Amino acid sequence: MNSLVNKHILLGVTGGIAAYKSADLARRLRDAGAQVRVVMTRGATEFITPLTMQAVSGNPVHLHLLDPQAEAGMGHIALARWADAVLVAPASANFMAKLAHGLADDLLSTVCLACDAPIALAPAMNRQMWAHPATQANRHTLEARGVRLFGPGEGEQACGEVGLGRMTEPQHLVEMTAGLFEIGSLSGKQVMVTAGPTREALDAVRYISNRSSGKMGYAIAAAAVEAGATVTLVSGPVTASIVAGIPAHVSRIDVESAAQMYEAVMSRVSQCDIFIGAAAVADYRPQRVAASKIKKTHADINLALERTPDILASVAALRSTGQDAPFTVGFAAETDDLEAHAQAKRAAKALDMIAANWVGQPGTGFDSDENALTLFWEGGGMQLPQSSKEKLARQLIAIIAERVHVRN
Ligand code: C5P
């Protein structure tokens, strides 16, 4: 169940005895790879302490709407934007009524109103309260608006009665929350991604490289894991913070030079269904690598360079030799005439898809957190407007999954 990896889950806790299970739920969500932030209503704090929820979620708990300090940090709008999904567990009858009627008189109801991510409720209440026509009407209103109801279940209740109204068990809630994201699009697929720059040695201490941070390739690897794929990431040298962002489920092979990247890719590519070349591979390397440090005894110096192997083209070319080639996706960084150059590159390298981006645009490109892509494939294309590299990576993976299914 990789679809919760790196997902931002906003866990709302309302006032009900089942709130004691919310701590277990938060822990299980984190175990599944999600980042969890908790918003508690005043009623919830009567049943479980914010300190407990802070400890299990690993984040400060959010309690108040009109708290200037909280609003200066992660206020209600920031929380709503942060969430990839909202799960309210337990959801009391009162909270369902508030949400159904659009009230926004505390932090949780306000965040729900301000949020365009999927919202799921795990109702928990006495069976009579659940069966009451008011609650049932609210439930239908919410469902008609796309709010998902996870439960309630049947069984013995805290009040001693037996019937419908028990909160769905935390493990099951985790699975249902994962289901909100499961496009299932790449489940069972083997994906290989290259990322980062390469370094081409000049001598024992110097090298030629480029400004790629690896952020885009790492985000693509994470998005492929989220979509259910088994992912191998062949990475050039990137910073520790980029490496730290990658889900544990990705198997990473570190390389330095284009030749090493070529070797790492070509020795494993026969097992993969999809290859995404996001690395900024050096096109040239020094013809000779000096064994020791080159001394500055000359006024000037000439470097003789030779071409590196084109990894992406080599992967795509497997098909023409009758071997099994993966669905092959390349990147093209262009400074002018984006479509013509990208299409020409796609044809020249026999790629299934190319993702082109402008270089030198403010706020996008190599080191930035955002990018914008234009995709081209045989007979079609699509614009992915500027947004975070994580969001773009998820969109790209969803489109690749669609095209892979079309091809098969
Ligand atoms: O031809 P150009 O370098 O612009 O193509 C960029 C695409 O080709 C990227 O996807 C990059 O990862 C890939 N590439 C490669 N091996 C090279 C050069 C580029 O795989 N030696």
Side-chain angles (χ1 to χ4, degrees), residues 126-376:
N126 163 273
R127 67 182 176 89
Q128 301 263 30
M129 292 171 76
W130 173 252
H132 194 283
T135 306
Q136 288 304 308
N138 291 335
R139 165 209 178 165
H140 290 305
T141 304
L142 291 168
E143 283 181 328
R145 269 189 221 139
V147 173
R148 301 284 301 275
L149 264 78
F150 294 166
E154 201 161 0
E156 196 172 328
Q157 303 201 299
C159 52
E161 296 181 16
V162 176
L164 258 184
R166 270 174 72 92
M167 186 171 93
T168 301
E169 290 305 321
Q171 183 50 38
H172 201 189
L173 286 177
V174 173
E175 286 158 16
M176 291 165 121
T177 308
L180 294 174
F181 300 100
E182 252 154 37
I183 28 185
S185 54
L186 292 183
S187 62
K189 299 277 185 221
Q190 303 271 348
V191 175
M192 191 186 292
V193 182
T194 64
T198 65
R199 285 179 182 168
E200 310 303 327
L202 270 166
D203 63 19
V205 294
R206 303 183 181 95
Y207 55 79
I208 299 174
S209 191
N210 60 63
R211 289 175 41 187
S212 167
S213 64
K215 277 180 197 158
M216 193 67 224
Y218 272 65
I220 290 169
V225 169
E226 288 169 19
T230 305
V231 179
T232 305
L233 175 63
V234 181
S235 173
V238 298
T239 63
S241 68
I242 301 276
V243 173
I246 196 75
H249 311 64
V250 170
S251 61
R252 199 178 86 242
I253 299 156
D254 288 329
V255 297
E256 276 215 11
S257 65
Q260 288 168 355
M261 189 173 273
Y262 177 87
E263 172 55 31
V265 168
M266 296 312 281
S267 61
R268 293 171 179 84
V269 75
S270 63
Q271 289 124 45
C272 89
D273 303 296
I274 298 167
F275 176 79
I276 306 170
V281 186
D283 292 320
Y284 292 90
R285 66 184 167 213
Q287 246 171 25
R288 285 189 52 253
V289 182
S292 48
K293 191 178 168 195
I294 300 167
K295 298 280 180 255
K296 52 174 183 280
T297 43
H298 301 286
D300 50 33
I301 197 167
N302 282 315
L303 283 177
L305 301 176
E306 64 184 14
R307 285 296 303 267
T308 55
D310 193 315
I311 302 163
L312 183 62
S314 309
V315 171
L318 291 172
R319 196 171 300 146
S320 63
T321 63
Q323 299 178 61
D324 263 355
F327 185 92
T328 309
V329 183
F331 274 74
E334 304 293 346
T335 51
D336 59 292
D337 213 352
L338 186 91
E339 169 153 13
H341 284 130
Q343 289 283 33
K345 204 167 282 182
R346 193 180 72 77
K349 299 196 190 196
L351 306 177
D352 293 295
M353 187 188 287
I354 197 152
N357 63 297
W358 295 102
V359 285
Q361 297 289 101
T364 66
F366 281 135
D367 248 338
S368 86
D369 292 330
E370 297 206 330
N371 208 356
L373 295 173
T374 310
L375 310 183
F376 301 102

Side-chain angles (χ1 to χ4, degrees), residues 20-100:
Y20 80 92
K21 294 184 183 172
S22 305
D24 184 34
L25 174 58
R27 192 185 56 79
R28 286 173 189 267
L29 286 167
R30 287 184 74 195
D31 286 349
Q35 293 182 43
V36 178
R37 283 188 175 271
V38 177
V39 176
M40 297 176 79
T41 63
R42 199 183 50 75
T45 62
E46 302 285 338
F47 291 93
I48 186 165
T49 69
L51 196 60
T52 302
M53 294 309 295
Q54 175 175 308
V56 290
S57 69
N59 280 311
V61 170
H62 305 267
L63 297 168
H64 306 294
L65 176 60
L66 302 174
D67 175 350
Q69 233 176 5
E71 287 292 304
M74 203 172 219
H76 64 285
I77 299 296
L79 274 172
R81 288 203 186 124
W82 176 87
D84 293 318
V86 178
L87 170 64
V88 182
S92 64
N94 180 55
F95 183 75
M96 286 179 65
K98 286 199 334 189
L99 195 59

